[in-house]
Amino acid sequence: MPRNDDYPDTGELVRAVEHEAVMNASDWIINTTDATHSPEPSHHPVARCAVFVEGRKVDGPFTIASALDRVHQENQHDSSDPHTSHSEEDSTPRAFVWVSLVSPTMEHMEPIARLFHLHSLTVEDIVKARQRPKLEILGDYVFIVARTVHYDPSPVDSTNEFIETNELHIIRGKDFVLTIRHGDVPIPDNVRQRLERSPQLTSVGPASVAYAHLDWLVDDYLHIAEELEEKVDTMEDQVFIPDSPVHIEPIYMLKRENLEMRHALDPMTAVLKTLTVTKGTAGKSVRSLYGDILDHHTIAADRIISYDERLSTLLDSAVAKVSLQQNTDMRKISAWAAMAAVPTLIAGIYGMNFDNMPETHWAAGYFIVLIVMLSACVGLWLIFRRNKWL
């Protein structure tokens, strides 16, 4: 897809747009480095701005504008070196910048779009969020949308939602990478530390940042899948315990949360396959690493699908067990009603007050009727008990 005309991409015009963007941008673009150096990080979306040269993090702090200038200088020096080879397949810049943003608004993204030459449709997707996981190749950069999953290990009931999904956007250009988080998506410190302490990894360029985030993301999927398996196993044990009460609401809740996981995982299969096999998404060495992520993702996705099938079967079994319990209750009610009907019938006959009823004048008539009533009730109780109605 061609670039937006607002963000040109050639020669001196590019540099002119960059400088104009920096001069006209908001103060936070020029003066802000990252949240760790800001006294009030909630006033700007920048969580991190780091420069890597030959795989090693350069001591900062940097603003976004100064980081880009440093990267351009390093790469311009690298391109002028006649001994440097540049393979189209594995072309790796000498330096790149990593900018991490948190829930940026359109006001925040407009100057960033000018600096990094982002397409207007990409900016719109970033700001609006709530996108389906996808991968787009637009001009010189790759735009990846993924879903992060937050898991709450609290017990399942009919009210709590223990799985919450948010969004992670990754924009990987030739000499930059942007990571945009939406919602409560705490990226673990080990992702940052892995990038800052692994020059061999970051030496492959900005694709290493995308790889590290996706690797963490899929490992998190696997961890949550294991936690869900314990919940499904526990639910199965509760349903199939003999004579135990069955509550359908927690099963339905677990199935609904598992479906939320499927919405996050299923579209990512196509994204990871594209990253693995398509030239232009990353260098050959990084694409082989994406293959390992795809394997782990396939394991997690298969588990989630199997849980969905098990929960569907479990839901059907629970409904059948509830119906069986209701039938049992109805049989007990019917048995007790039958036992009560016999003495009611006898009492009703002798309560009609006819004159020609000899038994009413017997001295032992009252006691005989009571014995007959009791005998009938005991006999019915034994019959129902033998047939397991009581």
Side-chain angles (χ1 to χ4, degrees):
M1 181 180 295
R3 291 169 179 249
N4 188 298
D5 292 339
D6 292 337
Y7 312 136
D9 183 35
T10 55
E12 294 299 324
L13 185 57
V14 172
R15 298 296 299 170
V17 171
E18 290 171 355
H19 285 294
E20 181 182 359
V22 171
M23 296 301 295
N24 295 333
S26 302
D27 290 341
W28 63 269
I29 279 284
I30 302 174
N31 299 323
T32 300
T33 54
D34 55 51
T36 58
H37 296 88
S38 172
E40 294 181 289
S42 62
H43 289 179
H44 63 82
V46 180
R48 184 163 303 280
C49 182
V51 173
F52 291 83
V53 178
E54 295 183 342
R56 299 187 180 278
K57 183 177 180 293
V58 179
D59 292 336
F62 289 96
T63 66
I64 298 178
S66 64
L68 268 178
D69 286 341
R70 175 65 181 271
V71 167
H72 290 158
Q73 292 172 6
E74 294 287 346
N75 291 335
Q76 186 176 14
H77 171 76
D78 186 53
S79 62
S80 64
D81 187 352
H83 300 289
T84 303
S85 61
H86 298 281
S87 168
E88 183 178 353
E89 171 69 13
D90 281 309
S91 179
T92 302
R94 171 185 172 87
F96 70 90
V97 57
W98 169 28
V99 179
S100 177
L101 306 173
V102 180
S103 300
T105 64
M106 183 62 75
E107 181 182 1
H108 295 137
M109 284 304 303
E110 284 178 349
I112 292 179
R114 289 193 292 269
L115 285 172
F116 294 100
H117 313 298
L118 303 182
H119 196 281
S120 58
L121 294 179
T122 302
V123 176
E124 182 179 355
D125 287 347
I126 291 172
V127 173
K128 290 185 176 180
R130 305 310 300 173
Q131 301 292 315
R132 191 173 186 269
K134 63 179 180 178
L135 181 145
E136 295 178 349
I137 301 177
L138 300 99
D140 294 333
Y141 67 87
V142 177
F143 178 41
I144 302 172
V145 177
R147 285 287 183 91
T148 60
V149 180
H150 174 69
Y151 174 77
D152 182 2
S154 59
V156 180
D157 59 37
S158 58
T159 57
N160 69 326
E161 296 182 2
F162 55 88
I163 287 182
E164 179 185 357
T165 59
N166 290 291
E167 273 187 43
L168 173 66
H169 299 170
I170 302 173
I171 302 176
R172 198 274 303 169
K174 183 178 179 180
D175 57 3
F176 71 89
V177 58
L178 306 179
T179 56
I180 301 100
R181 295 174 282 154
H182 287 277
D184 186 15
V185 190
I187 304 298
D189 289 338
N190 59 354
V191 174
R192 175 181 57 82
Q193 294 171 358
R194 181 183 184 185
L195 290 168
E196 294 179 354
R197 299 176 184 178
S198 303
Q200 185 177 2
L201 174 62
T202 50
S203 64
V204 301
S208 61
V209 178
Y211 161 76
H213 282 77
L214 292 176
D215 188 41
W216 158 75
L217 192 66
V218 173
D219 285 345
D220 200 40
Y221 289 164
L222 273 174
H223 171 70
I224 295 174
E226 293 173 356
E227 296 287 344
L228 285 177
E229 184 175 18
E230 294 182 6
K231 288 184 179 290
V232 174
D233 290 342
T234 302
M235 197 72 68
E236 284 182 333
D237 293 340
Q238 292 175 352
V239 169
F240 293 111
I241 293 176
D243 301 325
S244 63
V246 177
H247 302 286
I248 296 180
E249 292 83 359
I251 302 175
Y252 175 78
M253 186 68 185
L254 184 57
K255 182 174 175 61
R256 190 181 72 176
E257 297 301 283
N258 190 75
L259 185 61
E260 186 77 10
M261 277 289 293
R262 287 197 65 176
H263 289 163
L265 268 69
D266 287 355
M268 279 300 295
T269 302
V271 172
L272 293 172
K273 284 182 178 178
T274 303
L275 287 171
T276 303
V277 302
T278 304
K279 292 183 179 181
T281 57
K284 185 176 181 180
S285 59
V286 181
R287 294 205 308 272
S288 63
L289 296 177
Y290 285 139
D292 180 64
I293 298 178
L294 178 60
D295 291 339
H296 291 174
H297 179 272
T298 302
I299 294 173
D302 288 345
R303 288 183 178 179
I304 296 300
I305 292 174
S306 69
Y307 301 159
D308 190 58
E309 294 173 352
R310 288 171 62 185
L311 287 170
S312 295
T313 303
L314 193 60
L315 193 59
D316 293 339
S317 301
V319 171
K321 188 172 182 180
V322 168
S323 299
L324 182 61
Q325 288 178 342
Q326 291 175 344
N327 291 337
T328 302
D329 294 340
M330 288 302 300
R331 287 193 303 179
K332 290 181 179 180
I333 293 172
S334 299
W336 287 110
M339 292 168 59
V342 173
T344 302
L345 176 63
I346 296 175
I349 292 173
Y350 286 99
M352 291 188 290
N353 298 320
F354 288 111
D355 292 335
N356 190 18
M357 294 182 71
E359 306 94 285
T360 59
H361 302 288
W362 293 350
Y366 171 74
F367 300 102
I368 293 174
V369 170
L370 288 181
I371 292 173
V372 171
M373 289 180 178
L374 182 61
S375 299
C377 291
V378 171
L380 287 173
W381 184 85
L382 292 173
I383 293 172
F384 291 139
R385 186 72 174 178
R386 183 179 62 186
N387 290 281
K388 297 182 179 179
W389 280 44
L390 292 174

